[in-house]
Amino acid sequence: MNFRKMLMAVTGTALLLGTGYGASGEVAADRSRIQSAALPAIKADVKYIAQTSEAEATAKREQELKRFKNLLDQQQKALSGKYQPGEIRYVYINDKEYHASISSTPFASNSYSLIYRNYDEYIKKNATGNTAMPLELKQIPDGYNFTLARIAPYLSWPEQKKMFSQVIAEGKASGQKIYVKKLQEKRISVELIYTMASPVNGISGVLAITAEPAGAADKTVESEPVKPQSEKLKVGGQEVVYTSIDKQEYKSVAWMNPKTRVNYIIRENRGQLTKEELIAVAGQVIEASK
């Protein structure tokens, strides 16, 4: 099973339909004069089909999961309640019939987190002088609003994958329908989340800025791998890696502070910032973390 897909199962899934011209752009453009009258109806049909298909899939999934309501309620109960600082909790459903369902996810996790929905409160309590991972953004990019700051226990991606495998193996061997595993982790990550003030074409982009500890032997930012299209740049004396994927729908800037051994990653998903604007955000974070 794909572990990254399991991790992403906690987030929603968006169905994206798109059209575009190929190498025959000029021919297609000429034909568009003839087809222009039909386009509104075609687009409406495509939108309706997409919405109907998604709604049907959601309804089918919800109906299927009703059979496992008792198990899912137990899982949710195990994930609820009071958490100790640094606690990470995993809950595995050990049921073959549930696993056979296409709508199932084998386990879920949650952790102790400090959430701040006011930037000034976050700065006052955690950002300046109170952490080995200073993370500030004094000038918000145009079109974005601060949403929240989150401080949570940290595991690297290889550590998470190892833990997923361990929880599944232990859960299967436990003989328990609901298997719970708890960890205490001293390392933390700090994350600032910003969302677009107004949607563009119905889409609200998200800007996430993260500080996380690097491993003792790490030379790159493991959680943001370098891609073939990545570029190495210098920002404020710091070498950074800029990556753009899928026609600018995803952009990132990542670097490691060699003195503090802290990784910084700035990610924009489906937003409108230019490369230069994202680099400017990186410059602010670099200056604040010196």
Side-chain angles (χ1 to χ4, degrees):
M1 182 169 291
N2 188 309
F3 290 115
R4 194 173 292 273
K5 285 183 179 178
M6 288 194 290
L7 185 67
M8 292 175 68
V10 296
T11 63
T13 301
L15 177 63
L16 302 178
L17 298 178
T19 58
Y21 293 113
S24 305
E26 294 181 3
V27 176
D30 289 337
R31 290 174 180 171
S32 70
R33 298 191 188 101
I34 301 172
Q35 298 169 342
S36 60
L39 279 177
I42 293 172
K43 289 180 178 178
D45 286 344
V46 169
K47 184 177 181 181
Y48 174 77
I49 291 169
Q51 289 176 340
T52 301
S53 299
E54 188 173 6
E56 288 176 350
T58 300
K60 183 177 180 180
R61 181 177 183 275
E62 290 177 350
Q63 184 64 34
E64 188 176 50
L65 289 178
K66 284 182 180 179
R67 294 191 294 131
F68 306 105
K69 184 179 184 303
N70 183 49
L71 286 174
L72 293 171
D73 286 347
Q74 290 182 63
Q75 181 191 60
Q76 184 58 42
K77 183 178 179 181
L79 286 170
S80 302
K82 186 177 181 180
Y83 281 65
Q84 298 299 315
E87 180 181 342
I88 305 173
R89 195 178 301 178
Y90 299 89
V91 180
Y92 176 76
I93 297 179
N94 186 23
D95 184 273
K96 290 183 179 180
E97 186 179 357
Y98 174 71
H99 291 172
S101 167
I102 60 172
S103 301
S104 69
T105 51
F107 65 87
S109 67
N110 199 3
S111 65
Y112 174 90
S113 299
L114 293 175
I115 304 294
Y116 297 93
R117 300 191 183 277
N118 180 282
Y119 182 79
D120 291 337
E121 183 184 6
Y122 156 74
I123 289 293
K124 181 179 179 180
K125 293 186 177 180
N126 288 282
T128 306
N130 293 331
T131 176
M133 294 190 292
L135 185 58
E136 296 183 57
L137 188 63
K138 295 180 180 179
Q139 184 65 43
I140 299 177
D142 289 342
Y144 273 94
N145 288 332
F146 175 78
T147 302
L148 63 85
R150 174 170 47 225
I151 301 173
Y154 172 76
L155 291 178
S156 68
W157 177 239
E159 289 171 331
Q160 290 181 57
K161 290 194 293 184
K162 183 178 179 180
M163 185 53 58
F164 297 159
S165 297
Q166 184 177 335
V167 170
I168 291 173
E170 292 178 0
K172 288 180 177 179
S174 70
Q176 303 171 22
K177 283 289 186 181
I178 301 294
Y179 175 75
V180 181
K181 187 178 184 67
K182 298 179 181 180
L183 299 180
Q184 287 295 131
E185 178 56 59
K186 293 182 179 180
R187 293 171 298 170
I188 64 168
S189 65
V190 183
E191 186 175 35
L192 303 180
I193 302 292
Y194 299 82
T195 51
M196 287 175 59
S198 301
V200 175
N201 297 324
I203 297 171
S204 293
V206 176
L207 177 67
I209 307 172
T210 305
E212 60 189 33
D218 289 350
K219 295 182 180 180
T220 60
V221 181
E222 186 277 334
S223 60
E224 190 65 17
V226 176
K227 304 288 184 181
Q229 68 270 36
S230 298
E231 303 175 55
K232 289 186 177 181
L233 306 169
K234 280 278 189 177
V235 179
Q238 169 73 53
E239 183 178 276
V240 305
V241 176
Y242 172 81
T243 304
S244 177
I245 304 175
D246 298 332
K247 297 181 180 180
Q248 304 293 313
E249 283 206 344
Y250 176 87
K251 299 182 287 292
S252 72
V253 185
W255 69 94
M256 177 195 293
N257 184 318
K259 294 181 180 179
T260 60
R261 303 293 297 175
V262 173
N263 291 330
Y264 291 89
I265 311 100
I266 301 172
R267 300 179 175 101
E268 188 193 39
N269 189 37
R270 306 187 76 183
Q272 300 295 310
L273 296 182
T274 64
K275 172 183 176 180
E276 291 71 24
E277 288 170 330
L278 204 65
I279 293 298
V281 172
Q284 283 196 62
V285 176
I286 290 169
E287 182 62 31
S289 61
K290 286 182 177 178

